[in-house]
Amino acid sequence: MALAPKIASTSVPNDLEPFWMPFTSNRAFKARPRMVASAKGMHYFTPEGRKIIDASAGLWCTNAGHNRDSIVAAIQKQAAELDFSPTFQFGHPKAFELASRIAALAPGDLDHVFFCNSGSEADDTAMKIALAYHKAKGNASRVRFIGRERGYHGVGFGGTSIGGMVANRKQFGTLLPGVDHLQSTYNRAEQAFSVGEPEWGEHLADELDRLVALHDASTIAAVFVEPVAGSTAVLPPPKGYLKRLRQICDKHGILLVFDEVITGYGRLGHAFAAERYGVVPDLICFAKGITSGSVPMGGVIARKGIYDAFMNGPEHVIELFHGYTYSAHPLACAAGLATLDLYRDENLFERARKLEPVWADAVMSLKGLPGVLDIRVVGLMAGIDLASKPDAVGKRGYDAMESGFHDHGIMFRTSGDAIAMSPPLIVTEEQIDEIISKVAAIIKQGA
């Protein structure tokens, strides 16, 4: 049984108003807060000590579970030794050690790592690398990006532009020019209640050929896709779809970028989804699971040929004019190394593969409950579409999240009227049963 760890304060602040909360219905939250004060393993604990099972790994990030002792110890030790060191023209050993470990996990010749602090920064970094790469290769006209409907690539202007979630875009004007989008791979009529990758939809990759014909390949820098779209409630790729995208990109000299901010570090039973799907992209964006959410960190892994294209000219000249103050922050690197040790020592990626059919069977048992329109399961991820209320789209999903926290002791993500789940990789079969039992009760309650 998980016990609430000792915390310095168990009180709810008297004044909640000053904090403008991200991606939150602020007025509703502040009227009835959902507050957590500590965490351990598979659970959060409220300021009152009430236990909340974490069915979403925080924000898809605490893959090794919460407050793991070895990660905490590594952060504490690093803070006492080296709190900060610039990585502009200087370095510290753990940055190079972590880059080597990540490169060793990545498939093919993805062997150079550029660090940043989040998935959003990783996507914008990959966009800049793609533009600069083509310019270095003498193809400066390649400035266009292709994203995908219902895709999510963070909240920077670049990532928002190539993303395809309407609510994330509509408040911010025209965003970046020169961006187009592939159609979503999801079709409920053809794919409903799919376990793993749906059989239907490989041909949707051919939409890229149409966009190339429209814009001309000489103008297109890169295609960005999530191997599994997560933030839009788990959309697995159709069988063969990603391989077909790779073939089309190769044919036209376009870079293929996998946004693995969610799918990286075990979520699909492998270090990266690229391994699961047998596709080597040109760039991989990562974040979240690299430190199990303990310290902010993100990055981009580049193939050797991309890195080498920059290594020309006088050696004293900066090759890529890009970076962040906290790129490869010492505490983040220490956390990343300790997290990779946990993944290795506890065989968490292999564990996720073994649990996948157990998870799938459990989640699919929700089929037939009132208002359940579709369920999608892949790896240790699941999306459950609920019927919207006729007069309030998104309210059923919000009510499910709120009831889950306050009435049933569970935390999960919602996207509109869909429930998205992605438990830490340490989840047990008993805890899977607990999660599904709670979700079933919530769905019935809200029907």
Side-chain angles (χ1 to χ4, degrees), residues 170-186:
K170 65 183 181 182
Q171 291 181 312
F172 308 113
T174 57
L175 300 169
L176 295 185
V179 175
D180 212 331
H181 293 80
L182 297 164
Q183 67 187 98
S184 169
T185 61
Y186 178 63

Side-chain angles (χ1 to χ4, degrees), residues 373-388:
L373 302 179
D374 190 20
I375 299 174
R376 299 167 296 279
V377 187
V378 63
L380 290 187
M381 304 172 71
I384 305 166
D385 290 346
L386 304 178
S388 298

Side-chain angles (χ1 to χ4, degrees), residues 85 87 92 95 115-117 297-298 324-333:
S85 173
T87 49
H92 63 90
F115 286 113
C116 56
N117 310 287
M297 174 171 258
Y324 302 92
T325 298
Y326 299 118
S327 289
H329 191 283
L331 269 64
C333 289

Side-chain angles (χ1 to χ4, degrees), residues 28 65 88 99 115 125 170-171 256 277 330 338 344 347 352 357 412 444:
F88 296 8
F115 286 113
T125 294
K170 65 183 181 182
Q171 291 181 312
L256 178 61
Y277 295 119
R344 178 197 63 207
N347 296 311
F412 48 71
K444 292 173 184 175

Side-chain angles (χ1 to χ4, degrees), residues 122 182 228 239 260 276 372 375:
L182 297 164
V228 175
K239 290 181 179 178
E260 297 227 33
R276 177 178 176 125
V372 173
I375 299 174

Side-chain angles (χ1 to χ4, degrees), residues 258-316:
F258 277 7
D259 181 340
E260 297 227 33
V261 172
I262 286 175
T263 56
Y265 303 104
R267 182 57 47 196
L268 298 180
H270 298 273
F272 296 101
E275 183 180 356
R276 177 178 176 125
Y277 295 119
V279 176
V280 178
D282 298 294
L283 300 169
I284 287 178
C285 301
F286 68 87
K288 296 188 184 290
I290 180 57
T291 66
S292 196
S294 61
V295 179
M297 174 171 258
V300 178
I301 317 172
R303 297 183 75 168
K304 184 178 186 302
I306 292 176
Y307 174 82
D308 288 346
F310 289 90
M311 299 302 127
N312 295 302
E315 290 189 359
H316 71 280

Side-chain angles (χ1 to χ4, degrees), residues 100-115:
S100 295
R101 294 277 299 275
I102 293 169
L105 287 174
D109 60 348
L110 284 151
D111 57 8
H112 285 80
V113 180
F114 192 103
F115 286 113

